[in-house]
Amino acid sequence: MKIRKAVFPVAGLGTRVLPATKAMPKEMLTIVDKPLIQYVVDEAKEAGIEHFIFVTGRNKGVIEDHFDRMYELDATLAARGKKAEMDILARDQPEAGAMSFTRQQAPLGLGHAVWCARDIVGEEPFAVVLPDELVLHTPGCLAQMIEAAGKLGEKSNLIAVEAVPDELTHQYGICGVGKRHGKVFEVDGMVEKPAKGTAPSNLSITGRYILQPEIFKILETQERGAGGEIQLTDAMIGLARTQKFYGVEFAGERHDCGSKPGFLRANIAFGMARAELREGLRAEMKKYLGK
């Protein structure tokens, strides 16, 4: 099962981190020195993704600009002999034609955002990557999932899962656990934000998916679910009636950068993971904490 394309839903308003996102997309908030969107695109590149599909909304044009060339900047850096900076920009520059952008004109939920990419994805399996969730690990979460997919049937669907405290399962999409194959297991049912005490497990559905194109037909007529939105989990429940779903317990530390505490935690974690920043960051933290 070859996974060539990935969908990045980036039309959200980022209300959990206002006022930072009033005029700037949350996907452009920086973790250390890179915007969130660059981290997840890098993760997808590492996993072998060839075509990057962004589902955007109003005031998101800066995301497209980020992945374009800036000739004035290139010329200025060249004139000043800033080779290191030029190398960084060249490293992050996508190949021509490798990125597509489409609009989600109304905030109708994650399922609707994925459906908006249907014509660009076409009739092949694809990944969905939520940009406000980062996983600190090498290889990345998506690479781990694609490796797992290579050992499964052609019409398999995969979701990344993470254990959450039992008392918080009502805040997440939760999957049931069937037959296990190491860190991969057959999904035995899914439920979006189950009532307290009714969750089939404590394994939450996180922001990485590998889906078959048949999901689009289901999303086309999907009724609104939790929050009055078209929920991707509801469509996956429908698809699971005819196709296999597998959960992947990935290695790595997940960071919810769409929340203020998660965003701050991610900056510290990703900063400490960089050898050239570690000692300086540790010294500054000691000064701040008085230790």
Side-chain angles (χ1 to χ4, degrees):
M1 183 167 58
K2 174 68 173 174
I3 313 297
R4 300 189 314 112
K5 298 179 180 179
V7 175
F8 302 85
V10 294
L13 297 176
T15 54
R16 290 189 294 164
V17 286
L18 282 169
T21 51
K22 180 180 178 182
M24 181 174 68
K26 68 176 179 179
E27 296 83 10
M28 292 302 296
L29 295 176
T30 54
I31 301 297
V32 187
D33 56 2
K34 289 197 301 186
L36 286 168
I37 193 66
Q38 186 68 60
Y39 280 97
V40 291
V41 165
D42 290 345
E43 178 185 336
K45 282 182 183 177
E46 178 207 27
I49 296 298
E50 301 168 3
H51 195 156
F52 308 83
I53 304 165
F54 299 84
V55 182
T56 71
R58 286 179 294 279
N59 301 320
K60 299 279 185 167
V62 68
I63 296 175
E64 188 169 354
D65 292 340
H66 174 73
F67 292 106
D68 201 355
R69 291 196 61 182
M70 292 186 64
Y71 292 98
E72 299 88 346
L73 178 59
D74 291 344
T76 300
L77 292 175
R80 296 178 180 176
K82 300 282 188 178
K83 186 177 185 305
E85 289 80 359
M86 293 175 66
D87 289 343
I88 290 172
L89 294 181
R91 177 197 66 196
D92 295 340
Q93 183 66 43
E95 294 183 13
M99 294 193 164
S100 297
F101 296 82
T102 188
R103 285 282 184 116
Q104 182 188 24
Q105 288 90 348
L108 296 178
L110 176 59
H112 182 261
V114 171
W115 179 75
C116 289
R118 64 199 181 281
D119 287 337
I120 305 174
V121 171
E123 296 296 323
E124 59 183 286
F126 64 102
V128 177
V129 182
L130 303 192
D132 53 4
E133 294 189 20
L134 300 185
V135 176
L136 182 55
H137 193 269
T138 302
C141 181
L142 190 57
Q144 296 175 51
M145 294 179 71
I146 288 179
E147 181 183 1
K151 302 173 184 177
L152 301 171
E154 288 189 358
K155 285 296 182 181
S156 298
N157 301 267
L158 295 87
I159 52 179
V161 301
E162 179 186 51
V164 297
D166 291 337
E167 64 272 17
L168 298 180
T169 52
H170 65 285
Q171 299 179 8
Y172 299 89
I174 300 292
C175 62
V177 179
K179 185 178 179 181
R180 277 193 170 273
H181 311 273
K183 288 292 185 179
V184 179
F185 61 87
E186 297 180 14
V187 172
D188 182 17
M190 290 173 276
V191 59
E192 181 68 27
K193 297 181 179 179
K196 288 185 177 182
T198 65
S201 75
N202 71 334
L203 293 177
S204 68
I205 300 170
T206 66
R208 303 290 187 273
Y209 313 79
I210 293 175
L211 300 171
Q212 298 297 322
E214 287 79 8
I215 194 78
F216 293 123
K217 285 293 184 184
I218 297 173
L219 287 168
E220 191 170 349
T221 57
Q222 182 69 51
E223 295 183 358
R224 299 193 186 196
E229 297 180 338
I230 298 173
Q231 296 289 346
L232 183 61
T233 301
D234 292 338
M236 292 193 299
I237 291 170
L239 185 59
R241 298 189 183 103
T242 58
Q243 293 183 358
K244 285 276 192 180
F245 270 78
Y246 295 87
V248 180
E249 293 185 83
F250 57 90
E253 185 178 77
R254 173 181 168 269
H255 297 271
D256 177 11
C257 301
S259 71
K260 293 176 184 178
F263 176 76
L264 294 171
R265 178 173 176 262
N267 266 285
I268 295 171
F270 277 80
M272 291 296 289
R274 300 253 300 259
E276 76 276 18
L277 299 177
R278 191 175 301 130
E279 290 306 314
L281 178 56
R282 184 178 286 119
E284 291 299 326
M285 291 174 64
K286 284 182 179 180
K287 285 194 292 186
Y288 180 76
L289 296 172
K291 295 181 181 179

